[in-house]
Every structure is written in C-alpha cells, then in structure tokens.
Amino acid sequence: MAVPTAGNNGVRPSVRGIAIVAFLFGLAGAASLPFAVVAAYETSWWSYLESIWAAIPSAVCGLVAVLAARRGRRQAQRSVLAVKGAGLARWGGRLGWLALYFAATAGLALAVYEIETYYSG
C-alpha cells in the first residue's frame, strides 16, 4: 500500500494507565490487612480484633483493582495488536482478588468471633 493508514503507523494501543491503577489499588488492598495485623503485633495501639477493621479498605481497594483490571482487559481485547500494560492489568486484577479474599476472610473471622462471644455469655 502506497499510503500509510491508521493501522500501520507504528502506534501501539496502551492500557498502561488503567493497568497502573489496577496494580496499585490491588497492591494497597492486599497489603492493608497484613500491615494492620503486623502493626497490632508490634505496637500497643491496636488489638488483633481492631486490626480486622482494615478489611474495609482492603475490600474497597480490591474492588477498584478488579474493576480497573476488567476494564483494561476489555480494552486490550478490542485491539488486534499487542497492547502495552495488559500483563500489569492482569496482575492488578489478581492482587485485587487477593485483597477481596483477605477482606472476606477477615469478615468471616469477625462473624465467628461475635457468634462465639454471644453464645459464651
């Protein structure tokens, strides 16, 4: 073809911005609950029971990461070419799911603690 078209101008599509958002929120969500538990262990500020409240930001960050990674994956699937940032978005989604699992586990632990406290008097 004698005339360059939009498909062969050398510009590759990118989802790097949304991938960075997904990765950072996933990392923050996955790290918040373990950080709160370590802070409860090392200091006298919190008890272990109070560190479970870190499940709320963990769940919020995890949800944002999963939604951002899903958006990045959807944008990457629309492209015919290889997309910059698709792998980072995938890892952001994985970290987001890990953060959601941490939050669900902490919520379940709190529910079991409350039930056991209620029935033990």
Side-chain angles (χ1 to χ4, degrees):
M1 187 179 265
V3 179
T5 61
N8 63 2
N9 62 3
V11 177
R12 289 178 44 192
S14 175
V15 294
R16 188 173 288 163
I18 197 74
I20 290 173
V21 168
F23 185 77
L24 290 179
F25 271 95
L27 192 62
S32 65
L33 197 59
F35 177 75
V37 170
V38 168
Y41 179 76
E42 293 292 330
T43 65
S44 61
W45 298 339
W46 297 331
S47 68
Y48 284 118
L49 186 61
E50 292 171 337
S51 70
I52 290 182
W53 286 103
I56 296 170
S58 178
V60 170
C61 288
L63 186 63
V64 169
V66 167
L67 293 177
R70 184 175 293 172
R71 180 176 176 186
R73 185 180 67 228
R74 198 176 323 124
Q75 287 178 353
Q77 287 175 348
R78 290 183 190 153
S79 176
V80 177
L81 300 173
V83 177
K84 294 179 183 177
L88 190 61
R90 185 171 33 253
W91 275 104
R94 289 175 183 166
L95 286 172
W97 279 112
L98 182 65
L100 288 174
Y101 292 146
F102 282 170
T105 303
L108 183 63
L110 182 62
V112 168
Y113 173 78
E114 290 297 328
I115 290 170
E116 186 256 324
T117 304
Y118 177 76
Y119 284 117
S120 67

